[in-house]
Amino acid sequence: MKASSSIIVDEVGSQKFTLAVVFDGQRFECGSYISRAAAMQAGRLFIQRKEGEAAGGRTKRKPGKG
């Protein structure tokens, strides 16, 4: 079952966009970006990471290895 998620990008000034992601009922403020496209890409990556964590495998990288 996939968790519900949404990406919210707001323009807050000239060349400044803020990103918030709602994932599984929780809202995450994810910073400022210089373009809407960059914010959307970061939001998609954030959701992919959170879906991976929800599926049980934290991250593929292990600290101190490799």
Side-chain angles (χ1 to χ4, degrees):
M1 183 172 85
K2 224 177 180 181
S4 63
S5 60
S6 60
I7 299 171
I8 302 132
V9 178
D10 291 318
E11 186 170 3
V12 294
S14 178
Q15 299 292 310
K16 187 171 182 183
F17 298 85
T18 59
L19 169 65
V21 176
V22 177
F23 183 82
D24 200 20
Q26 287 186 285
R27 183 180 172 104
F28 299 89
E29 299 295 332
C30 300
S32 298
Y33 296 83
I34 61 170
S35 72
R36 185 175 298 277
M40 289 298 292
Q41 181 179 13
R44 286 191 295 271
L45 290 171
F46 183 88
I47 289 171
Q48 283 179 350
R49 191 186 83 199
K50 294 305 265 183
E51 286 174 346
E53 289 175 3
R58 297 293 287 165
T59 61
K60 291 186 177 166
R61 292 179 288 151
K62 291 185 180 178
K65 303 279 183 188

